Amino acid sequence: MRVAPLTGPALQAALDDVARLRIAVFRDWPYLYDGDLDYERRYLEGYHNSPGAVVVGAFDGDRLVGAATGTPMEDHAAEFGAAFAGQGVDLSAIFYCAESVLLPDYRGRGIGHAFFDKREAHARALGRTQAAFCAVMRPEDHPARPPGYRPLDAFWRGRGYAPLPGVVARFGWKDLGEAAESDKPLQFWMRAL
């Protein structure tokens, strides 16, 4: 296994593979994402356009089996920065650790920590003093919630992240079984770098 940051041309070359991973992994709980490559390509274009963006790839040989993305907060979709309105937080200090997707067979091997380590190091190199991400909020009694599901809260807290009260983004995607996109609430978590 190799975990390495990708920027510039290497980042651009990996985006279709990242799109396929996002579609596969986010199909499961709690995202329930009914994605397609056209939507993914539009969404991931922001990483191509941001000089501060990074994709951290997890490779089994030459095969991309996981990826974590990040950009300076002001370079990401406006819905995410809008969640901080009135919070007295300078968006230019925040590096947004967007997605982490990893195929199930590769979980539990420390790759999630490596994803955060590499994105946080990239953020520090850009002069960022805060790292943030957000996670979809689903009701406890949602009918698609699998029995015995364990959220990643303990992992995130162990890395020094804490939820930011009242800092909730709204972002739309199409859930499995939906005819069209609907907005979902996403709770922000943040830590000082």
Side-chain angles (χ1 to χ4, degrees), residues 22 26 30-33 35 39-47 69 73 75-83 96 98-99 133-138 167-175 178 180-188:
R22 281 177 37 91
F26 283 154
Y31 287 90
L32 305 175
Y33 172 54
Y39 176 95
E40 285 298 310
R41 286 180 176 133
R42 286 190 308 275
Y43 175 79
L44 292 170
E45 187 64 24
Y47 294 95
T69 59
M73 179 60 86
D75 289 353
H76 205 68
E79 294 91 338
F80 294 90
Y96 179 57
E99 298 87 17
F133 68 89
C134 55
V136 68
M137 301 165 68
R138 299 280 190 179
V167 183
V168 176
R170 298 208 57 88
F171 195 74
W173 65 82
K174 188 176 160 218
D175 268 3
E178 284 186 334
E181 287 185 17
S182 62
D183 280 350
K184 316 295 188 297
L186 297 119
Q187 171 65 58
F188 263 98

Side-chain angles (χ1 to χ4, degrees), residues 89-113:
V89 176
D90 178 8
L91 293 185
S92 69
I94 302 171
F95 188 79
Y96 179 57
C97 294
E99 298 87 17
S100 291
V101 290
L102 185 62
L103 294 175
D105 289 348
Y106 295 88
R107 295 178 188 162
R109 300 183 189 187
I111 296 170
H113 284 291

Side-chain angles (χ1 to χ4, degrees), residues 102-170:
L102 185 62
L103 294 175
D105 289 348
Y106 295 88
R107 295 178 188 162
R109 300 183 189 187
I111 296 170
H113 284 291
F115 282 164
F116 272 103
D117 290 344
K118 300 225 182 275
R119 288 183 297 179
E120 290 167 1
H122 182 79
R124 286 184 194 96
L126 293 175
R128 300 294 164 135
T129 58
Q130 303 284 327
F133 68 89
C134 55
V136 68
M137 301 165 68
R138 299 280 190 179
E140 292 286 325
D141 62 350
H142 191 288
R145 184 184 177 98
Y149 171 75
R150 270 190 7 220
L152 294 172
D153 297 24
F155 170 76
W156 297 329
R157 287 182 193 282
R159 290 205 54 91
Y161 288 87
L164 296 170
V167 183
V168 176
R170 298 208 57 88

Side-chain angles (χ1 to χ4, degrees), residues 54-77:
V54 67
V55 171
V56 179
F59 296 89
D60 185 353
D62 289 336
R63 179 179 172 226
L64 186 70
V65 298
T69 59
T71 65
M73 179 60 86
E74 65 275 16
D75 289 353
H76 205 68

